[in-house]
Amino acid sequence: MSKILEVKNLRTTFFTHLGEVQAVRGISFDLDEGGILGIVGESGSGKSVTSLSIMGLVDEPGKIVEGEIFFQGTDLTKLDHKDMMQFRGNEISMIFQDPMTSINPAFTIGNQLREVIMAHSDLNKDQAHERALELLKMVGIPDPESRIKNFPYQFSGGMRQRALIAMAIANNPKLLIADEPTTALDVTIQAQILELMRDLKDKINSSVILITHDLGVISEICDKVIVMYGGMIMEKADIKNLFAHPQHPYTRGLLLSIPTNVTGKKKRLIPIEGSPPDLMDPPSGCPFSPRCPHAMEICLKKAAPLFKISETQEASCWLHHQDAPEVSGMVKVEGEQS
Amino acid sequence: MSDRIPLLEVRNLKKHFISGILKKRKVLTAVDGIDFVIYKGETFGLVGESGCGKTTIGRTIIRLYNPTDGEILFDGEEIGHLSERELKPYRKRMQMIFQDPYASLNSRMTVTDIIAEGIDTHHLLEGDAKQERIYELLEKVGLKREHASRYPHEFSGGQRQRIGIARALAVNPELIICDEPISALDVSIQAQVVNMLEDLQDEFGLTYLFIAHDLSMVRHISDRIGVMYLGKMMEITTADELYENALHPYTKSLLSAIPIPDPTSSIRDRRVILKGDVGSPINPKPGCRFASRCQYAKPNCFTETPELREIKEGHFASCHYIEEINGI
Ligand SMILES: Nc1ncnc2c1ncn2[C@@H]1O[C@H](COP(=O)(O)OP(=O)(O)OP(=O)(O)O)[C@@H](O)[C@H]1O
Ligand SMILES: Nc1ncnc2c1ncn2[C@@H]1O[C@H](COP(=O)(O)OP(=O)(O)OP(=O)(O)O)[C@@H](O)[C@H]1O
Ligand code: SF4
Ligand code: SF4
Ligand SMILES: [Mg+2]
Ligand SMILES: [Mg+2]
């Protein structure tokens, strides 16, 4: 399968007056054409900064300090502002975590949609209006002819999210990045939006990166997943293996700490002890080491490379090393690692 | 089941927020005639979508709000209309843990001051005994003595929630209202806090009203659960019965909307996706609050408000057509 996006050793840092925040610490991943890649991780693990880096939207005091981001062969990190604008909103578009940052409360929904459409096409105002109606219909806004004249405050949270999706797909982007598109919504509305995204992906045939901290959402719609922690990638896997055979202690911990309820009996939850790292002063080795029940000496000194478990799964954990002690369920890997 | 003793009983509780006057008068029926009982030592879960009135119920029970109508019986005494002075002994017996661990602790107070507030108000302990008690509470909730002199901003979300729990425990309450105590926390921290709440319940025989919208966590922690929609109670039953035999159309769609963290699950194919948006609680018309989204709605659902009825033993629901829909 060909790759639409390849991120190589991306490192993004914020140079604040309190010190350097190493938000993304050398991550590499790629996205298959037509795929839905999930990024999960806890608050502050670097998910949003990763997507802002791809979009070329990391602002002062932040900076991509290392790495490459290839979008269909073009290294986005090398583009100047003007060229990047051409990609953004056209080939690549994003649904932001905070809907109010991308909707202007002072303009009608129709106005904003037309704007987005006309910025990247030759359509005139009337054609753009037609296209806007078509988009609103596509994202399931009832009675688009009258709703198009509404201001954002006249929309409910779920409708606003649909409007945002409509804007993001207006120009049939090849890559759509959705940062927590359903987190602020109720579960019944979330189910509608996820259904919509599944549906749209097929219709407009784009590739999607979906960021969330909800493993349930990941399992609903993604085919591959990246698990982030402390600015690094802990595990990459296809969705089946991630849930059935997690190969990183953090992923395992996450899966164990959510209630399962298959038995209906009250089982005690198994938490991950401790709390996430401070990115101003991250642990020098594996970012998970202060909380990891299996931490070894090497873990405190050096972060593990990504060990290739199978064609579809990689994990950054020393337990996969030949010389590591046996831990049940953890696969040993031979040879060179990436 | 018959030996259960009610600790809290809420009857026809209403809390309306009124704004505007004359023709512009708006009545926001945040809580609109709710009945439920919480028995001593149990955890009663309260779920429902954003804005359905969960927090308002909690705040009305501990009398941060005065009820618009209805009764609140605590240990058999009607407290909904007591004066502040008459309420004081009850304030000690009921405590609340708040939704947002970042906003609910006063940032200018040390941890000691925060925890001591209730102890001082109720003149429980003084001097060294008080300080000892604070250390003991900190250790109970998994914090350290050294933390006592620090300020809230020096703590993570999970730790702040622990401080909030220590504050609630300080006055030896019988009932704790936990308003979304874990929703602002990372997944990896949520289980820590839930386990701690369970341990404290066992140790002190606490009764919980546990408010949440994470339905899988609610099932895990609750003995019985109430499902709300726009200020009304739609269904009440035991946790297992609710998840296995939900009767109300709203509960069914709510449960089927939960994203399942298991890619092999077949629930997705059976999912009922609700159409439409949640309605508004402002100046509501009579009728079932769920009617605009209900696939079973008939004309009278839009005009007659269904009552909460006991359908099976211990299983209550409010829907005109519950028997028909469930083939009972
Ligand atoms: N503008 C900024 N200035 C300084 N630090 C920043 C800035 N933006 C992000 N960070 C820091 O970078 C780190 C990663 O943040 P990011 O927003 O990517 O987290 P996230 O994984 O998206 O978390 P969440 O789940 O809470 O959205 C955090 O420690 C954050 O505080
Ligand atoms: N002090 C207040 N004044 C006016 N309206 C209020 C007040 N408090 C709550 N409301 C309204 O009452 C309704 C119920 O709010 P409440 O906070 O109880 O909901 P909730 O179920 O706790 O929601 P969430 O899950 O978002 O916390 C909402 O429409 C809200 O806007
Ligand atoms: S590398 Fe070491 S500390 Fe990190 S997850 Fe693996 S065993 Fe634990
Ligand atoms: S009363 Fe009518 S609208 Fe309400 S849940 Fe029952 S069938 Fe649906
Ligand atoms: Mg984010
Ligand atoms: Mg609330």
Side-chain angles (χ1 to χ4, degrees):
Chain A
M1 215 180 287
S2 69
K3 308 287 181 206
I4 185 152
L5 184 77
E6 290 181 82
V7 174
K8 293 190 171 154
N9 197 28
L10 175 70
R11 193 175 284 278
T12 305
T13 303
F14 290 89
F15 299 90
T16 71
H17 61 279
L18 291 172
E20 287 179 22
V21 181
Q22 303 175 25
V24 174
R25 305 202 284 148
I27 65 169
S28 304
F29 64 93
D30 42 49
L31 172 61
D32 297 328
E33 194 146 0
I36 305 190
L37 174 74
I39 304 185
V40 338
E42 32 208 282
S43 185
S45 59
K47 306 182 295 296
S48 294
V49 173
T50 300
S51 54
L52 293 174
S53 303
I54 298 170
M55 294 292 288
L57 288 174
V58 177
D59 276 334
E60 289 288 319
K63 199 168 170 288
I64 296 180
V65 291
E66 203 183 325
E68 293 148 335
I69 301 168
F70 290 101
F71 175 75
Q72 295 190 315
T74 310
D75 183 356
L76 300 178
T77 64
K78 300 280 179 334
L79 296 184
D80 63 21
H81 183 70
K82 200 169 124 269
D83 289 338
M84 191 62 214
M85 287 283 277
Q86 271 313 306
F87 279 91
R88 198 157 61 220
N90 194 17
E91 309 262 309
I92 310 177
S93 71
M94 177 157 173
I95 302 167
F96 290 89
Q97 186 161 7
D98 176 5
M100 279 334 236
T101 55
S102 27
I103 285 200
N104 189 331
F107 294 97
T108 64
I109 298 289
N111 206 317
Q112 300 186 55
L113 261 174
R114 282 194 300 271
E115 194 98 331
V116 172
I117 295 165
M118 284 159 68
H120 294 280
S121 70
D122 306 325
L123 300 185
N124 65 30
K125 206 172 164 209
D126 287 344
Q127 291 166 321
H129 185 80
E130 281 309 307
R131 172 74 179 145
L133 282 174
E134 187 189 346
L135 285 163
L136 288 179
K137 204 171 289 160
M138 208 159 153
V139 298
I141 302 241
D143 191 13
E145 280 82 6
S146 71
R147 285 302 193 163
I148 197 164
K149 297 182 205 121
N150 281 174
F151 286 91
Y153 76 88
Q154 291 167 299
F155 273 30
S156 70
M159 285 165 73
R160 232 176 274 148
Q161 205 60 10
R162 285 164 195 272
L164 272 180
I165 294 176
M167 280 183 214
I169 62 169
N171 300 300
N172 295 323
K174 298 207 178 81
L175 170 62
L176 176 65
I177 304 177
D179 191 357
E180 310 260 7
T182 59
T183 304
L185 305 174
D186 283 316
V187 281
T188 59
I189 310 289
Q190 167 169 286
Q192 291 174 3
I193 300 284
L194 292 180
E195 173 107 332
L196 171 70
M197 290 191 51
R198 251 192 303 263
D199 194 46
L200 286 176
K201 201 205 77 78
D202 297 337
K203 273 195 198 142
I204 63 174
N205 191 30
S206 49
S207 316
V208 179
I209 296 180
L210 176 82
I211 296 174
T212 172
H213 59 262
D214 186 334
L215 287 161
V217 170
I218 288 279
S219 127
E220 291 281 321
I221 119 165
C222 299
D223 35 55
K224 290 191 180 169
V225 193
I226 292 174
V227 181
M228 285 188 74
Y229 189 85
M232 291 178 156
I233 291 180
M234 299 291 102
E235 182 158 5
K236 292 182 200 174
D238 66 289
I239 179 99
K240 287 230 166 60
N241 277 307
L242 187 91
F243 286 89
H245 313 287
Q247 289 296 316
H248 194 282
Y250 172 62
T251 318
R252 288 180 153 202
L254 269 188
L255 288 168
L256 283 174
S257 67
I258 51 181
T260 45
N261 291 319
V262 251
T263 60
K265 258 226 223 76
K266 265 204 182 189
K267 265 198 306 196
R268 199 174 160 79
L269 298 176
I270 308 167
I272 304 178
E273 298 301 341
S275 48
D278 176 3
L279 294 180
M280 201 85 93
D281 180 23
S284 47
C286 168
F288 190 56
S289 56
R291 303 174 75 185
C292 180
H294 309 293
M296 301 165 277
E297 250 182 76
I298 186 165
C299 308
L300 309 181
K301 295 196 185 102
K302 200 165 170 245
L306 275 167
F307 286 85
K308 189 160 181 168
I309 314 294
S310 72
E311 274 314 306
T312 56
Q313 192 167 18
E314 292 171 64
S316 160
C317 172
W318 287 116
L319 289 176
H320 300 295
H321 192 276
Q322 281 303 307
D323 303 336
E326 284 296 332
V327 169
S328 130
M330 290 293 204
V331 177
K332 287 289 173 62
V333 177
E334 274 179 68
E336 284 288 292
Q337 300 308 324
S338 56
Chain B
M1 285 247 169
S2 55
D3 57 348
R4 294 184 305 177
I5 308 159
L7 181 62
L8 181 80
E9 203 171 339
V10 165
R11 294 186 187 153
N12 190 32
L13 185 69
K14 292 187 184 171
K15 178 64 198 171
H16 296 176
F17 296 103
I18 294 167
S19 62
I21 45 163
L22 302 172
K23 280 202 180 135
K24 294 233 174 90
R25 184 180 142 103
K26 284 184 181 156
V27 180
L28 192 153
T29 55
V31 176
D32 203 22
I34 293 271
D35 298 86
F36 64 90
V37 182
I38 305 182
Y39 298 98
K40 276 187 184 157
E42 80 167 344
T43 298
F44 185 84
L46 195 56
V47 301
E49 296 179 82
S50 184
C52 71
K54 304 179 297 294
T55 296
T56 304
I57 288 193
R59 290 177 161 255
T60 311
I61 290 170
I62 63 165
R63 289 284 311 274
L64 282 174
Y65 296 148
N66 288 326
T68 305
D69 195 6
E71 292 167 46
I72 302 163
L73 281 81
F74 187 86
D75 211 2
E77 294 290 325
E78 211 289 312
I79 60 160
H81 300 89
L82 295 185
S83 69
E84 192 51 45
R85 196 176 51 79
E86 294 166 324
L87 258 180
K88 199 169 169 199
Y90 294 97
R91 289 231 183 274
K92 184 178 152 326
R93 298 173 72 185
M94 294 187 279
Q95 288 288 310
M96 187 152 170
I97 302 170
F98 294 90
Q99 194 158 358
D100 181 354
Y102 293 89
S104 61
L105 304 176
N106 186 333
S107 59
R108 281 188 296 271
M109 287 164 74
T110 63
V111 169
T112 291
D113 296 338
I114 290 170
I115 298 175
E117 233 182 347
I119 302 181
D120 293 340
T121 318
H122 297 284
H123 309 293
L124 299 178
L125 293 166
E126 276 170 23
D128 287 349
K130 183 170 89 180
Q131 193 60 54
E132 258 326 296
R133 170 78 176 140
I134 289 166
Y135 290 148
E136 181 192 305
L137 285 163
L138 283 175
E139 279 163 12
K140 268 273 111 71
V141 299
L143 294 170
K144 301 197 177 75
R145 281 170 172 248
E146 299 88 89
H147 289 142
S149 55
R150 299 203 191 152
Y151 291 88
H153 70 87
E154 297 173 62
F155 294 91
S156 69
Q159 288 174 319
R160 282 183 222 204
Q161 207 52 290
R162 289 168 193 263
I163 299 171
I165 295 169
R167 169 175 67 183
L169 288 174
V171 296
N172 298 318
E174 291 155 63
L175 173 71
I176 299 186
I177 297 173
C178 309
D179 188 5
E180 312 237 13
I182 55 168
S183 15
L185 306 178
D186 273 319
V187 179
S188 77
I189 307 291
Q190 292 183 352
Q192 293 177 4
V193 173
V194 165
N195 280 356
M196 197 180 68
L197 287 170
E198 290 178 339
D199 292 344
L200 294 169
Q201 178 166 48
D202 290 345
E203 187 172 348
F204 300 113
L206 295 167
T207 305
Y208 290 143
L209 171 59
F210 191 91
I211 298 173
H213 52 248
D214 176 343
L215 291 130
S216 28
M217 203 54 103
V218 171
R219 176 181 193 181
H220 171 83
I221 199 165
S222 306
D223 299 301
R224 290 185 310 126
I225 297 176
V227 181
M228 285 183 69
Y229 191 81
L230 279 180
K232 292 273 192 195
M233 195 66 89
M234 296 286 129
E235 185 158 7
I236 299 180
T237 183
T238 61
D240 289 341
E241 171 78 1
L242 189 82
Y243 285 76
E244 277 147 31
N245 297 308
L247 297 176
H248 197 283
Y250 173 62
T251 314
K252 291 183 188 193
S253 49
L254 188 65
L255 292 176
S256 95
I258 307 175
I260 309 291
D262 173 6
T264 58
S265 159
S266 61
I267 290 197
R268 227 151 296 158
D269 312 328
R270 287 180 274 127
R271 180 156 288 157
V272 198
I273 303 265
L274 280 181
K275 300 274 183 291
D277 285 296
V278 187
S280 160
I282 298 171
N283 301 336
K285 295 182 198 67
C288 172
R289 295 286 166 92
F290 184 57
S292 62
R293 297 170 89 191
C294 180
Q295 58 173 319
Y296 305 103
K298 296 188 184 169
N300 70 321
C301 297
F302 292 89
T303 52
E304 291 161 38
T305 313
E307 296 292 323
L308 191 68
R309 295 179 288 137
E310 186 160 15
I311 312 291
K312 300 190 223 168
E313 200 197 331
H315 194 153
F316 302 80
S318 60
C319 164
H320 297 304
Y321 298 106
I322 209 92
E323 287 84 359
E324 191 180 318
I325 291 167
N326 293 288
I328 306 175

